[in-house]
Amino acid sequence: MSTQKEELEIAEGGVDYDALEDRLGDTAIDRESHVNAEGFVVRPDEVQDALFALRDDAGFDHLSLVTAQEYEDRYESIYHLKKFDDPTQEVSVVVPTTKDDPVSQSAEPVYRTADWHEREAYDLVGIDYDDHPDLRRILLPETWKGHPLGKDYDQNKPQVVSFKQHANPLKQDHKDAESDTMFVNIGPHHPATHGVLHLETTLDGETVADVEPDIGYLHRCEEQMAQQGTYRHQIMPYPDRWDYSSAGLLNEWAYARAAEDLADLDVPEYAQVIRTMGAELCRIAGHMLAVGTFALDVYGDFTAIFMYAMRDREKVQAVLEDLTGQRMMFNYFRLGGVAWDLPEPREEFFGKTRDFLDDLPEALEEYHDLLTGNEIFQSRCIDTGILEPEVAKQYSATGPVARGSGIDYDLRRDDPYGYYDELDWDVITEDGCDNYSRVLVRMQEVEQSAKVIEQCVDLLEDWPEEERDIQSNVPRTLKPDPDTEIYRSVEAAKGELGIYIRSDGTDEPARFKIRSPCFHNLSVLPEMANGEYIADMIASLGSLDIILGEVDR
Amino acid sequence: MSSDNPRESIVGSKAPQNKTRESRMGEGVDNRFNSRLREAFGSTPFILTKFDKFMNWVRGSSMFMLQFGIACCSIEMMHTYAVKHDLDRFGSGVPRASPRQADVMIVPGTIVSKFAPRMKRVYDQMPEPKFVVGMGSCTVSGGPFQEGYNVIKGAEEVIPVDIHVPGCPPRPEALVYGVAKLQERVANGESAPVTVKPYELERFADLDQDEIVDELAKEIDEETLVMRYNWTDSP
């Protein structure tokens, strides 16, 4: 057994799918080919067996996404698995269920993160998961009727949504000798929740006994919108609105990468350099917002750091506006390239970008003086909100949250795309596992992004004029072959942002599923906050840097 | 300039103002109580205006905004409050975290079915007189998400809106213009008519009986407040 395990784990130069099939034995009843990986078809009552085997014997420790969808004749859940050590090694587990009895075994005992994913699949598509700890709606209101991404959903049917006021917790609890806890609603309208998030918190004195994030207050049907748009032009505006912290280009890249690999399109090298530069500018803007609002959470006022962060964001946004024409919703990437070349006069644009980069070290010094070097800040953040790496992996946390727990995982390096593998930069990790580490990771990533941008500007400045191709040849109407399936992800500001697309031969995707990093990062909050002070929970929530548009999609 | 003493332009004004100042404020009054505005009124210590007009001017000149972030627009709204655009220059840059202290609600983003009842409640909690600025296309019509199964087609379906600022998202300059327009309207005593019949929060027992209400009767208590969405009636 152990030799077989080693064989499966090493698998240099790609996954040995035949060996995996042997290991799964009778559990795998069929095998499908997706563009990104092979998929093993598993009976709905053997899901856990298959996933345990893949996790424990083959090292697939990262459940990246669960996609649920409805076909004409069946429901299907797809578990997209990866390895934290090497995300290019992927495998999918495909679980079909019948129309009459859509019950499938839950993957929650294998991967904790499947909890929220399966609730979403139940909510939007209508698949039941057996053995799930708490299967109820997650994005839509509890009183909703029907499953909107199912085939027979009638969108015009009226809906009734209840406004349940929670009973006064003092009435029950404080007069009852048995109980000494208190229930507090934080949000959905609350300055510390970074948007419309609702935390159902149970307090024992000042300590958090239990916290449960209640999401869906910004569920604006992003997947439905993408499924109604054509590949070529109509989908690209929407990614900007997932993670709206001016990180739009990073999101556009997630869609561009998936669709380009699906339709087999090339991107000219010059466009890749522009994309890389734009994406890193967006990352700086996103991290600045994260640091500024985190300071707002910890110090609780619109004071210096927040204003400084806004000042620096204004500078980034000015550069991005010159490049793309918009401050926030860029819509700049096109399949096979970008919308237009750098603005003329080019020297002015390069000068402006360089000015911004030159001022950045001084600005970061300021942040370090005011923030990370501040004693009050340190006592609020060091050793609070501990997230152990093993827990982070169980919840598939990625991005700065995972890297703040010492998980060396960055898709820009591990699954290279764009121009990143030609450039000189480092992946930042910190071992503190606390709120402080996550802030440090973000601030150092800003430095690394600046390094990447500088190299891109150098490259673009010297690029010969006759080779400035911004767009490859792309058919006017894209119609990928029917039943092609792909799952591709990129490193967005908050972590691994993935897109699953299934084509049905038309010019619109049959299923478009978004893997949102914030969704996973938010799901670890109870692990970080339970048993801690309520003030530390607010700091932890801030350090997770969630954007509700991306959590709820 | 030292802050110990008032500016030269205020205290250093020359006769004939000095003479009128003394006559209207009396001798020996501290220089700091003089001001440009006071100078403008001249020798008379009285102004004559309608009380309502004065109140409206006051209302428009000092607005407390509700600190209220929903979606993408809230990022641009933060930029409007912060350095560079600095909404406070127009007497309306103090975000209050509690609706009980706020006069103006900027609705910055898409409203979905789960959030609309909460937003209605937050609006109800604001003291009168209260005003609403709808920021972004989503609050005008649902914007890019209008066809979504879960999206309210505009803020006006839930609460009355005084000023619509279109854009996706509007630039901070546009929001500043919208707020300035609102101040102008308030100062003139104008308010916007409600153009659509809004969705209301009502007792579940008060809903008209139909298929969906029967179905939900087991789940929802009669006294619970609910909001019913008739999607086909949306504009």
Side-chain angles (χ1 to χ4, degrees), chain A residues 498-541:
Chain A
I499 308 288
Y500 166 87
I501 301 178
R502 174 169 65 88
S503 64
D504 57 358
T506 63
D507 55 353
E508 294 170 0
R511 181 75 173 102
F512 189 98
K513 175 87 179 107
I514 307 157
R515 188 245 187 230
S516 140
C518 292
F519 185 75
H520 296 77
N521 292 354
L522 178 61
S523 67
V524 289
L525 180 69
E527 298 278 348
M528 294 158 71
N530 286 351
E532 304 281 328
Y533 286 126
I534 183 168
D536 292 342
M537 183 190 80
I538 298 297
S540 300
L541 180 64

Side-chain angles (χ1 to χ4, degrees), chain A residues 184-187 190-194 197-201 203 206-208 211 290 293-301 377 380-381 384-385 435 438-439 522 525-526 528-530 532-546:
Chain A
V184 178
N185 281 311
I186 303 177
H190 190 277
T193 52
H194 291 218
L197 167 69
H198 177 199
L199 297 174
E200 296 166 358
T201 320
L203 294 180
E206 220 183 323
T207 313
V208 177
V211 58
T293 50
F294 184 58
L296 190 68
D297 287 340
V298 173
Y299 292 139
D301 212 341
F377 184 83
R380 282 293 306 273
C381 296
T384 60
N435 294 338
R438 290 186 276 278
V439 175
L522 178 61
L525 180 69
M528 294 158 71
N530 286 351
E532 304 281 328
Y533 286 126
I534 183 168
D536 292 342
M537 183 190 80
I538 298 297
S540 300
L541 180 64
S543 79
L544 289 177
D545 183 24
I546 50 160

Side-chain angles (χ1 to χ4, degrees), chain A residues 155 163 215 219 238 327, chain B residues 76 114 144 147 149-150 225:
Chain A
Q155 208 182 311
F163 178 75
I215 63 175
H219 172 57
Y238 285 100
R327 277 166 62 88
Chain B
E76 285 296 64
K114 200 172 176 180
E147 290 167 16
Y149 50 82
N150 191 29
L225 292 175

Side-chain angles (χ1 to χ4, degrees), chain B residues 6-14 17-18 20-22 24-25 29-42:
Chain B
R7 275 172 296 153
E8 188 66 13
S9 59
I10 292 178
V11 297
S13 48
K14 305 281 181 307
Q17 281 110 321
N18 262 356
T20 60
R21 191 168 85 204
E22 267 166 29
R24 66 172 200 259
M25 293 171 70
V29 175
D30 193 313
N31 267 338
R32 283 175 293 180
F33 289 94
N34 198 14
S35 69
R36 277 275 169 86
L37 187 64
R38 193 66 192 77
E39 292 286 339
F41 284 133

